[in-house]
Amino acid sequence: MATIVATPEEGYHFVDWTESGIVVSDKATYQFSVERDMDFTGTCEINKYEIQVEVYEPGTGEVFGGGLDIEHGPE
C-alpha cells in the first residue's frame, strides 16, 4: 500500500484526488495499491465565507454590503 497526503495552505480546503482525470477520493489522505504507473492530482480550493450584516437597533440607520460571499484573504 502507498499513501498520499494533501495539506492545503491556510485559507484553502482539500477537494479531491484524481487519477488520470477520474476522482478516486475526497479525503486528504488516500491509500492505494500500486499495480502500475499512476498519475495523481490533488485539488484544493480557496475558502469562501458568507457575510451577513444587520442594524442592531431597527430604525436607527442603514447597513450596506451584507449577503456577500468573500474569499479568504486580505482583500
Side-chain angles (χ1 to χ4, degrees), residues 6-8 12-17 25-29 42-45:
T7 306
Y12 289 79
H13 62 278
F14 179 76
V15 176
D16 59 29
W17 286 108
S25 178
D26 62 357
K27 306 290 186 224
T29 300
T43 302
C44 295
E45 292 180 350

Side-chain angles (χ1 to χ4, degrees), residues 9-12 46-49 69-75:
E9 294 289 329
E10 180 181 348
Y12 289 79
I46 194 163
N47 294 341
K48 293 184 180 180
Y49 309 101
D69 288 327
I70 305 294
E71 289 185 353
H72 182 92
E75 295 184 27

Side-chain angles (χ1 to χ4, degrees), residues 39-73:
D39 182 17
F40 291 96
T41 301
T43 302
C44 295
E45 292 180 350
I46 194 163
N47 294 341
K48 293 184 180 180
Y49 309 101
E50 183 178 335
I51 307 298
Q52 294 288 334
V53 295
E54 61 185 70
V55 175
Y56 180 70
E57 289 286 331
T60 61
E62 295 181 54
V63 182
F64 300 94
L68 302 173
D69 288 327
I70 305 294
E71 289 185 353
H72 182 92

